[in-house]
Each structure stands twice: as structure tokens, then as C-alpha cells.
Amino acid sequence: QPVIEEGNYNYADLRGETGPIVYPGGFVWIFGLFYKMTENGSNLRIAQFIYMAIYLSTLGIVMYIYSKAGSKFFRPVFLSLLCVSYRLHSIYLLRLFNDCVAMFLLYLSILLLIKRHNVKACISYSLAVSVKMNIFLFAPGLFLVLLAQGGIWNTILYISLCAFVQLVVGFPFLLYFPVNYIKQSFNIGRTFKRYWSVNFKWVPCAPLARETLLQDCHGIFTSKLFGISLLGTTALLWIVYSYCTGGKMSR
């Protein structure tokens, strides 16, 4: 935050305790606000109260979405399971990850889609992407819903709105140092530490003698082929899903 206050919008100079920034501009603005609200990042208690409000708001939205899902097997008592997750409590009140803000905005977007407020839904979705880029993986689902509700031309307008929001939140960075901003905030080729992986710790990867900020092993887990295969599998599953459900959604 001090770097931004000094008028430096070079993403190459923005970094924290875990290394250089790797998130889009929305992350900078939202957490810059949190920085101010928590007395320049020194008041952890205020930060936990902020995240508690985000946590409870997200739970409320998710419960509403489940209640509108329309399944004959749905029972309100099942929603109590959402409140007993130790991992969620840890992420929201101990870790204070940016995932919490991103997922709140994503679920808010889904709620707005349910209510057919598509403009507000697209704005909320794009803001979620601006906090953490992995929300972009939900883009095919958003595209299918928009397509089913409004047709191809309206969908193009909504997607253009999402792109416009990205331009707005990244404007000062794009204005002065566009290459550094795009390279760091939308870098899909970077590797991650296997230590933090939840789903792929079983993938072979030999520990490095000296860890880097974003890599702690070398092997299949960090290979480009593995990353491309995951991305390709995701795309393939979306194509299959859209083919199998496209007719139902249009009805």
C-alpha cells in the first residue's frame, strides 16, 4: 500500500512478505482499503471482524442459493453443515486469504444471476476475477447462463461489461506499466508450491534443496505439461457439459 500512496503504479515494485504481487488490480484496491481500516495493517482484531462479516455474508448467500436450487431432496437442516467446516473457519478467521473476498463476490454474482440482475452479476463476477484470477475458471458457466437467458448478442454485451470492469480496476497500472501489470496479474504459466496444494499432493515432485518463493519441488507437479493437461481437461469437461445440458438450459 505505501508504494501506491507514493504514486508508483509499477506492478514490478509491488510485493509483500511472500514475494511479488500476483493478483489483479481489484486485490490492490480492496486490500488497500483493508490496510487503512486496520490502522495500516497493525490491528489484527479489526481484520478478523472484517473477515467475519465477509464469512457470515458468504454463508447467507450460499444458503439462499441452495434454497433456490429446487432439488426435491433439499432440506434446510442440511445447511447446518456449511457452518461446521474447520477449514473455512481457518481460512476466514486465521489465514485471512484473498480467496474469501473473491468467493464472496462470486457467490453474490450467482445470487444476482438467479434474480436475473445480469448487469450487476457481471460486475460482481468481474470484480471477483480482479481479486483472484482463479475465479476465471467459472467463466464458461457464466457464459452458458447468459447465453441461455439472453442470446448471443446480449451475452457479447455482458462479456464486454466484464472486460470494461477489468480495465477500470487496472487503469492506473495499465496506463503507466501495462506489460508488468498483465505479466504479473494474469500469468497462467507460473508454478506453485506443492506444500499448499490440497488436491494434487499425490503428484510426484522431488523436493528442492533450496526453495524459491513460488516453488518447493521439481517434477511432474511443476511441469508445463501437467498444467496444460489440467487446463485442457477442464476445457474438455466444460464442452461436454455444455453439449449435454445446453438444450435443458435453453428451455
Side-chain angles (χ1 to χ4, degrees), residues 17 41 56 92 130 181 210 212:
E17 295 181 357
L56 294 176
Y92 278 87
S130 77
Y181 177 70
R210 180 176 295 180
T212 64

Side-chain angles (χ1 to χ4, degrees), residues 92-201:
Y92 278 87
L93 295 180
L94 298 178
R95 305 288 185 177
L96 308 183
F97 287 159
N98 61 327
D99 304 70
C100 307
V101 178
M103 293 308 297
F104 166 75
L105 290 169
L106 174 67
Y107 284 124
L108 178 61
S109 174
I110 295 173
L111 183 149
L112 291 168
L113 280 175
I114 292 174
K115 292 182 172 294
R116 299 297 182 99
H117 299 313
N118 291 356
V119 171
K120 294 178 182 178
C122 288
I123 293 174
S124 183
Y125 172 78
S126 193
L127 288 174
V129 174
S130 77
V131 174
K132 194 166 186 179
M133 198 187 69
N134 64 347
I135 302 299
F136 190 71
L137 293 172
F138 293 86
L142 176 66
F143 174 79
L144 289 176
V145 172
L146 293 175
L147 190 63
Q149 289 184 358
I152 186 62
W153 294 113
N154 284 331
T155 300
I156 291 174
L157 291 176
Y158 290 133
I159 293 175
S160 299
L161 174 62
C162 292
F164 177 74
V165 172
Q166 292 301 314
L167 291 176
V168 171
V169 297
F171 178 74
F173 311 107
L174 290 168
L175 182 64
Y176 294 105
F177 301 95
V179 175
N180 288 344
Y181 177 70
I182 295 173
K183 181 180 178 181
Q184 289 190 216
S185 60
F186 296 99
N187 182 5
I188 63 173
R190 61 191 177 91
T191 59
F192 300 90
K193 286 189 174 182
R194 190 176 66 161
Y195 176 82
W196 296 110
S197 175
V198 175
N199 300 316
F200 295 105
K201 280 190 176 180

Side-chain angles (χ1 to χ4, degrees), residues 144 238 240-251:
L144 289 176
W238 270 114
V240 172
Y241 177 81
S242 62
Y243 176 80
C244 295
T245 62
K248 295 178 180 179
M249 291 185 66
S250 63
R251 291 194 295 268

